[in-house]
């Protein structure tokens, strides 16, 4: 919980003065709804219709009208005129089957100087017990497809997509 709160605070700080933000892999909308007061508009997307249904219900219950939840894969997102100021990708890049193509597409969606704000687990950097458990969990249907990479590999993919890593 403390780590998530720090992540939200840092994202809100980075998004000050921005007007248009995209979140990919928004799940049930918790992050977008928590950051909704930071910017005038967030397009929050996820490939799971059930997640988006829950996110919309949460937004309605909170009276939030500045977040637009859509069922959509990252590759299907089109940039608004001028592009997005920021793209949020929390706990999702390791789940993508083609993270290289997705990162390249996300880069095209950003305004010049726009930010990709991400926090992504790097499976190869996790402890051995977790690394050994994941393939077993995948075989029995308890874990999704995961990119097994370390931080250096992920950073190389991000840089190859045209991003400059600042933090």
């Amino acid at each position: 919980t403390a780590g998530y709160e720090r992540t939200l605070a840092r994202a809100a700080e980075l998004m000050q003065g921005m007007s248009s933000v995209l979140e990919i892999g928004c799940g049930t909308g918790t992050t977008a709804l928590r950051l909704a007061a930071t910017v005038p508009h967030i397009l929050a997307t996820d490939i799971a219709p059930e997640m988006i249904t829950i996110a919309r219900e949460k937004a309605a219950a909170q009276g939030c009208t500045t977040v637009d939840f859509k069922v959509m894969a990252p590759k299907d997102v089109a940039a608004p005129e001028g592009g997005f100021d920021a793209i949020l990708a929390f706990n999702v890049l390791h789940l993508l089957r083609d993270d290289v193509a997705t990162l390249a597409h996300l880069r095209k969606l950003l305004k010049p100087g726009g930010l990709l704000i991400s926090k992504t687990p790097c499976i190869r950097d996790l402890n051995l017990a977790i690394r050994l458990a994941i393939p077993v969990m995948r075989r029995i249907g308890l874990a999704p497809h995961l990119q097994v990479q370390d931080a250096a590999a992920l950073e190389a993919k991000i840089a190859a997509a045209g991003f400059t890593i600042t933090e």
Side-chain angles (χ1 to χ4, degrees):
T1 302
Y4 179 64
E5 293 300 328
R6 283 190 302 276
T7 298
L8 287 178
R10 183 63 179 134
E13 180 183 319
L14 291 168
M15 294 182 340
Q16 289 298 317
M18 294 184 174
S19 60
S20 183
V21 173
L22 166 67
E23 181 182 13
I24 64 165
C26 71
T28 62
T30 301
T31 298
L33 291 169
R34 291 280 306 273
L35 293 172
T38 306
V39 294
H41 182 256
I42 298 175
L43 170 59
T45 66
D46 200 287
I47 61 169
E50 300 85 1
M51 295 290 197
I52 294 298
T53 297
I54 294 167
R56 288 175 178 157
E57 290 169 357
K58 288 166 66 173
Q62 294 177 25
C64 179
T65 59
T66 59
V67 181
D68 187 17
F69 291 103
K70 293 196 177 192
V71 178
M72 185 179 292
K75 67 181 178 71
D76 298 325
V77 176
E81 188 171 331
F84 290 100
D85 292 305
I87 297 174
L88 307 177
F90 295 124
N91 299 308
V92 68
L93 296 179
H94 66 296
L95 299 173
L96 301 172
R97 290 195 181 273
D98 193 351
D99 56 349
V100 172
T102 299
L103 286 164
H105 178 66
L106 295 178
R107 180 67 188 95
K108 292 176 187 172
L109 297 176
L110 282 172
K111 291 179 179 179
L115 298 177
L116 170 66
I117 305 171
S118 178
K119 186 171 184 176
T120 301
C122 294
I123 306 302
R124 193 162 282 137
D125 292 336
L126 298 176
N127 73 50
L128 181 60
I130 293 173
R131 290 192 321 247
L132 293 174
I134 289 172
V136 173
M137 292 173 65
R138 286 184 62 211
R139 272 190 224 105
I140 61 175
L142 295 177
H145 162 81
L146 299 170
Q147 293 280 343
V148 178
Q149 60 192 353
D150 58 20
L154 179 60
E155 288 175 0
K157 290 176 184 180
I158 292 169
F163 292 100
T164 301
I165 299 173
T166 58
E167 287 184 37

